[in-house]
Amino acid sequence: IRLDGRRVKSEQKAYYVLNKPPGYLSTAWDPQGRRKAGDLLVGVRQRVYPVGRLDADSRGLLIFTNDGDLAARLTHPRYGVTKTYEVEIDGRIAPEHLQKLTSGVRLRESRTAPCRIRVLRRGATNSILEFTLHEGMNRQVRRMLAKFGYKVRRLTRTAIGPLRLRGLGLGKFRALTPQELRALEKY
């Protein structure tokens, strides 16, 4: 393929994982000039985009790529790719709230799909939960918990499908390994 007499080369596919800190947006462009998670990918030469979202207050695993097919498979609800979050909330989570949350709750736009929730710690003043979802409504975990009066102290995405956030410091990134990429493509 040529454009204006020059041969057009396809861009090499690139895949990165970032441990997004709070205070950064998961967007490629912000008209208000706020900090974007992609700003942390210092030295990356390819134009890559975040796959999915994490709200500005959240932290954790965020994939960046220029592979549109993979991005679509990871984000479109029909593929059912799971996202796992560790959530610290104010208060002691009530067992009846856990049951209702796992069954799905009514949010403004629709009812959430059933999800898996594990209690990692239930203290006197806070609880730490692990949510595993197959969908990704805007601020879904925070909104689900708010239905029962729980305030989220910290929300960290720890996994997307088989990809886990391990050993990567906050604000740090690295290229996906070939094994991780194969696992994501097969998921």
Side-chain angles (χ1 to χ4, degrees), residues 55 57-58 86-90 127 129 131 139-146 149-156:
D55 64 57
D57 298 328
S58 298
E86 187 175 294
V87 186
E88 181 181 1
I89 61 170
D90 282 336
S127 298
L129 312 169
F131 274 70
R139 299 176 66 87
Q140 181 174 341
V141 173
R142 292 177 189 277
R143 292 169 55 211
M144 289 171 70
L145 288 161
Y150 297 106
K151 182 179 185 307
V152 172
R153 287 185 185 178
R154 188 182 72 241
L155 189 145
T156 306

Side-chain angles (χ1 to χ4, degrees), residues 4-15:
D4 295 332
R6 291 187 172 161
R7 185 170 173 231
V8 176
K9 295 179 184 177
S10 63
E11 188 174 45
Q12 185 176 357
K13 299 263 184 357
Y15 308 89

Side-chain angles (χ1 to χ4, degrees), residues 9 16 23 45 52 59 77 104 111 113 125-126 158 163 167 170 183 185:
K9 295 179 184 177
Y16 296 95
R45 300 175 80 78
R59 60 181 69 204
R111 185 171 184 77
T125 61
N126 72 330
T158 58
L163 185 61
L170 198 59
E185 291 172 336

Side-chain angles (χ1 to χ4, degrees), residues 25-57:
L25 300 177
S26 300
T27 185
W29 183 74
D30 180 55
Q32 298 173 359
R34 294 172 291 184
R35 297 186 301 181
K36 300 174 297 303
D39 297 341
L40 297 168
L41 302 179
V42 177
V44 171
R45 300 175 80 78
Q46 300 96 333
R47 187 171 177 182
V48 292
Y49 303 91
V51 176
R53 328 176 274 267
L54 270 178
D55 64 57
D57 298 328

Side-chain angles (χ1 to χ4, degrees), residues 40-119:
L40 297 168
L41 302 179
V42 177
V44 171
R45 300 175 80 78
Q46 300 96 333
R47 187 171 177 182
V48 292
Y49 303 91
V51 176
R53 328 176 274 267
L54 270 178
D55 64 57
D57 298 328
S58 298
R59 60 181 69 204
L61 187 123
L62 192 57
I63 297 171
F64 280 81
T65 187
N66 55 4
D67 184 341
D69 292 334
L70 179 65
R73 279 199 314 276
L74 294 176
T75 57
H76 197 283
R78 80 172 150 201
Y79 296 107
V81 175
T82 58
K83 282 93 177 167
T84 303
Y85 303 85
E86 187 175 294
V87 186
E88 181 181 1
I89 61 170
D90 282 336
R92 187 174 174 85
I93 189 83
E96 61 273 14
H97 293 159
L98 279 173
Q99 193 279 323
K100 289 178 181 178
L101 287 163
T102 58
S103 299
V105 296
R106 186 89 169 110
L107 298 179
R108 183 181 66 253
E109 62 275 23
S110 67
R111 185 171 184 77
T112 63
C115 65
R116 193 172 65 238
I117 303 174
R118 283 189 326 137
V119 176

